[in-house]
Amino acid sequence: MGTPDDVHAAAAAELAGLSEERREAFALRLDRWWDDLLAGLAAVYPHPEAVAGRLVQIAARAYAARPGDLHRLDQRRLLQPDWLQQPRMFGYACYTERFADDLAGLAGRLDHLEDLGVTYLHLMPLLMPREGDNDGGYAVQDYRAVRPDLGTMDDLRDLATTLRGRGISLVMDLVLNHVAREHAWAEKARAGDATYRDYFHVHADRTLPDAFEETLPEVFPDFAPGNFTWDEQLQGWVWTTFNEWQWDLNWGNPAVLLEFADIILALANTGVEVLRLDAIAFLWKRLGTACQNQPEVHAITQVLRTVARLGAPALVFKAEAIVGPRDLVQYLGLGSHAGRVSDLAYHNSLMVQVWSMLATGDTVLARHALAALPPAPTTGTWIAYIRCHDDIGWAIDDGDAAAVGLNGHDHRRFLADWYAGDFPGSWSEGLVFQHNPETGDKRISGTSAALAGLARDPEGGLSRIFLAHAIVAGWGGIPVVWSGDELGQPNDPHWAEEPGHADDNRWAHRPRLDADRAAQRHDLRTEPGKIFGGLAHLARVRASLPQLHASAESRVVVDTDPGVLATVRTHASGPMVGLYNVTRESRPFPIGWLHDAGLGSPYDALGGHPVTAGADGLVWLPPYAAWWVVEAPA
């Protein structure tokens, strides 16, 4: 089954029960995407044609089983391939059981999301994890079952249908790098099945593991040092990047690829529209490297993306690659992979620079670092956020810091101390996570309210929360709000009391949605009401501005007042200039620059007022101001 004719014949056999129109649609997709499939496979495996034939069979089988309403969704997405880039996209992320009791209960809280303007809902890991410690659900035991306490696959399918009916796309995690050691594949490997032993990286002695360890970093040095674990039943050292009970998969074995192609299409057929590809940077192992960001990662992603395009083109991928700024854009597709890999990637650098600006009241480093990033492909879209479920690692590049006269190590240390509340004058109440005394590295946990100092400095905290969200919402891509931040929830004081949480203070910023605060979301006299109303206002204004279509690039203006971040977006509908004052004092900006950018009658769409200057030609931005400046409406 290696030639195109053989592959078409095998696909036709899977589609025999469908109408001629459906069969033709699949054949046209196969003709369109065959070369991409083969090219991705050829970069990884010695016999790409044979693997391609198997993948097409899997795609055809899933296509034949795809429900009619999802076929219609496929058609809509094919007619609007830039749907993710539309300004109306506004995201929300939560743990199902912390937002509602279960999947069925979540459907009863959709008014909360609609009121906020949400069109993109990311439910954190809900597939069946191992019992006990499971890395927050990222140690998956069964990809084809939902956690029993949350419901069933039928409940997931029903929720996806309900969300789709209300204009909200469902996003789920798919862990690609590893499985729980209790997964059926790992159990069969431990039982002596050579086929499944080859699904993992297993070494009989320490020779190769020690050679790899010379260049491998440790992800969790405090509680999971090293990258290999001895398993008595395997009688071997198994690769375990994250924890001893998370076994890294051998993506050099095409059988692993075939398994995941089938899993991906099965999830797509439940109605999932976006899959977050967890730990994707770690997939390929190469001796003498950090085993991250290897070129084969992008080839594998291209293959999986192509399989999805054949069987379920409404499904898109989001790369969870928290990597250096120069590596990040590759996950949206560069060179031969442009437009062929993930549609979304996390803009980790933007998040870090937002918090850096707020702590220092200075934008010079952020301007340099953000301006130095290579442009993203026009078909890709950033996920922009001020925090997520994870801790914040201070990914300040030493070269960027040096370019503006800073020491990278010292600045990272300053940010960690500031957001832990340990630096004089800090208003923040973050928590130190994974302190490494040898390197001085400290990461930080905390809700946006805690990090922005809402409790210690209520007025300033409110302004900083809105400003931070306005920066990411005005950058482009899809802004995503983490659950509870829309209500100003503080760190959960009882985070350590739940089983399995005591050693991981990231649970402090994963609070259950506060029902009392949620009930105040429309009361603008309260803190929750002010924050909720402010973020809902951002979503409404975003949806009205074509300039925020994600294909338009945000360009940083590098020669502004140090307290002002200015960005400009050029779009066929006209320019938009984002003006953000990251200080407690009023700061100037020359109105002539707005005129030169093409804004004859500048108007702040967020505040709803004309932008005017004094006799000196300067516009004065109030403390912590956030303006989205466009041409005044006629």
Side-chain angles (χ1 to χ4, degrees):
M1 196 169 58
T3 69
D5 286 344
D6 291 340
V7 171
H8 270 287
E14 298 288 348
L15 306 176
L18 300 183
S19 67
E20 182 179 353
E21 182 181 6
R22 285 275 178 88
R23 294 197 305 272
E24 183 182 17
F26 187 88
L28 289 171
R29 291 180 199 171
L30 183 53
D31 287 339
R32 170 64 180 86
W33 300 114
W34 171 254
D35 288 344
D36 285 352
L37 183 65
L38 208 58
L41 290 168
V44 183
Y45 303 116
H47 304 292
E49 294 85 357
V51 181
R54 297 279 304 281
L55 288 169
V56 170
Q57 276 189 303
I58 290 170
R61 194 175 305 129
Y63 175 85
R66 193 156 170 82
D69 59 333
L70 294 179
H71 276 296
R72 287 190 291 276
L73 180 66
D74 291 337
Q75 292 300 102
R76 287 202 298 273
R77 297 295 189 236
L78 289 169
L79 289 169
Q80 189 183 28
D82 64 340
W83 67 278
L84 280 172
Q85 299 181 305
Q86 295 296 320
R88 69 175 190 85
M89 297 304 296
F90 195 82
Y92 189 87
C94 65
Y95 285 92
T96 302
E97 73 278 14
R98 298 174 102 73
F99 182 76
D101 292 332
D102 52 26
L103 293 170
L106 193 148
R109 287 199 164 178
L110 295 186
D111 286 350
H112 182 99
L113 300 179
E114 283 196 325
D115 291 348
L116 189 60
V118 171
T119 56
Y120 167 109
L121 175 62
H122 179 188
L123 297 183
M124 298 301 289
L126 49 77
L127 297 178
M128 175 80 77
R130 71 189 295 267
E131 290 186 10
D133 197 355
N134 54 43
D135 191 20
Y138 289 101
V140 178
Q141 183 174 336
D142 188 347
Y143 288 96
R144 300 178 187 275
V146 170
R147 281 170 40 189
D149 60 312
L150 298 181
T152 66
M153 291 302 288
D154 285 338
D155 292 327
L156 180 64
R157 186 176 291 103
D158 290 345
L159 176 62
T161 302
T162 300
L163 289 170
R164 195 161 56 251
R166 298 178 75 158
I168 301 175
S169 296
L170 177 60
V171 187
M172 272 184 56
D173 292 89
L174 181 68
V175 185
L176 292 178
N177 180 69
H178 48 264
V179 297
R181 69 180 174 198
E182 292 80 8
H183 191 283
W185 303 337
E187 293 290 347
K188 290 176 182 177
R190 295 167 88 182
D193 189 324
T195 296
Y196 287 95
R197 186 183 178 95
D198 197 35
Y199 275 37
F200 304 96
H201 299 275
V202 183
H203 303 281
D205 57 41
R206 286 290 310 188
T207 303
L208 270 175
D210 287 343
F212 274 107
E213 289 283 20
E214 291 182 9
T215 55
L216 288 177
E218 293 178 315
V219 176
F220 296 128
D222 285 5
F223 51 77
N227 289 274
F228 296 86
T229 299
W230 175 261
D231 186 273
E232 193 66 29
Q233 286 181 269
L234 275 179
Q235 282 296 292
W237 293 90
V238 63
W239 200 311
T240 54
T241 296
F242 291 89
N243 287 285
E244 64 179 18
W245 28 261
Q246 288 170 296
W247 289 14
D248 285 36
L249 290 157
N250 175 16
W251 281 87
N253 179 355
V256 172
L257 175 77
L258 295 171
E259 295 273 16
F260 272 94
D262 196 54
I263 289 166
I264 285 168
L265 292 171
L267 292 173
N269 279 359
T270 67
V272 175
E273 296 185 39
V274 181
L275 282 176
R276 174 184 178 272
L277 306 182
D278 182 73
I280 189 174
F282 295 83
L283 293 192
W284 198 261
K285 319 301 188 187
R286 176 169 281 114
L287 191 63
T289 73
C291 296
Q292 295 184 43
N293 307 315
Q294 298 301 301
E296 289 83 357
V297 169
H298 306 300
I300 290 168
T301 310
Q302 176 170 314
V303 171
L304 294 174
R305 181 73 181 95
T306 306
V307 171
R309 280 175 157 147
L310 293 175
L315 179 73
V316 298
F317 289 168
K318 173 170 62 172
E320 190 267 335
I322 308 305
V323 297
R326 306 305 183 269
D327 293 319
L328 185 62
V329 73
Q330 297 178 38
Y331 289 85
L332 289 176
L334 293 179
S336 64
H337 299 300
R340 295 174 172 86
V341 286
S342 294
D343 306 86
L344 299 164
Y346 287 92
H347 204 324
N348 182 61
S349 295
L350 180 61
M351 173 194 69
V352 170
Q353 294 299 339
V354 166
W355 291 115
S356 177
M357 287 187 289
L358 291 177
T360 61
D362 189 281
T363 69
V364 174
L365 172 61
R367 290 186 330 221
H368 175 83
L370 294 172
L373 289 175
T378 56
T379 55
T381 304
W382 293 116
I383 294 292
Y385 57 110
I386 66 169
R387 77 169 187 94
C388 63
H389 74 290
D390 230 333
D391 56 281
I392 298 177
W394 300 109
I396 301 294
D397 182 80
D398 286 340
D400 289 337
V404 297
L406 296 174
N407 178 285
H409 175 274
D410 292 347
H411 190 62
R412 290 189 291 270
R413 181 63 179 267
F414 159 73
L415 291 174
D417 289 344
W418 181 274
Y419 284 104
D422 295 334
F423 197 91
S426 170
W427 21 253
S428 185
E429 295 183 307
L431 304 172
V432 173
F433 178 76
Q434 291 277 323
H435 178 211
N436 186 332
E438 292 184 7
T439 63
D441 181 53
K442 295 179 183 177
R443 294 183 256 175
I444 295 293
S445 301
T447 66
S448 66
L451 296 176
L454 185 62
R456 290 181 176 177
D457 174 21
E459 183 177 351
L462 282 171
S463 297
R464 286 186 288 271
I465 289 170
F466 182 79
L467 172 60
H469 282 100
I471 293 172
V472 301
W475 185 263
I478 303 176
V480 176
V481 176
W482 180 263
S483 182
D485 282 1
E486 77 279 17
L487 301 171
Q489 288 190 223
N491 288 338
D492 181 357
H494 307 293
W495 65 268
E497 297 172 11
E498 295 188 44
H501 292 184
D503 295 327
D504 186 349
N505 67 22
R506 291 175 298 179
W507 288 103
H509 63 230
R510 303 165 181 171
R512 285 179 167 77
L513 194 74
D514 187 320
D516 292 336
R517 283 177 174 266
Q520 300 173 42
R521 68 183 187 272
H522 296 309
D523 187 347
L524 298 181
R525 298 168 298 178
T526 67
E527 277 186 352
K530 291 174 182 176
I531 296 171
F532 190 96
L535 299 193
H537 177 65
L538 285 175
R540 285 193 300 271
V541 176
R542 255 187 68 87
S544 73
L545 295 177
Q547 295 92 335
L548 281 166
H549 189 284
S551 63
E553 183 185 357
S554 277
R555 180 170 58 84
V556 177
V557 181
V558 295
D559 55 350
T560 63
D561 179 277
V564 175
L565 176 70
T567 63
V568 60
R569 298 176 62 80
T570 303
H571 189 266
S573 64
M576 170 183 149
V577 177
L579 294 178
Y580 310 101
N581 179 0
V582 300
T583 77
R584 287 182 176 272
E585 299 83 31
S586 295
R587 309 302 295 188
F589 189 82
I591 198 166
W593 198 98
L594 298 176
H595 295 324
D596 291 343
L599 296 171
S601 300
Y603 178 84
D604 171 27
L606 274 181
H609 62 81
V611 175
T612 57
D616 56 3
L618 295 176
V619 175
W620 286 88
L621 295 162
Y624 293 133
W627 292 0
W628 291 349
V629 185
V630 296
E631 185 67 16

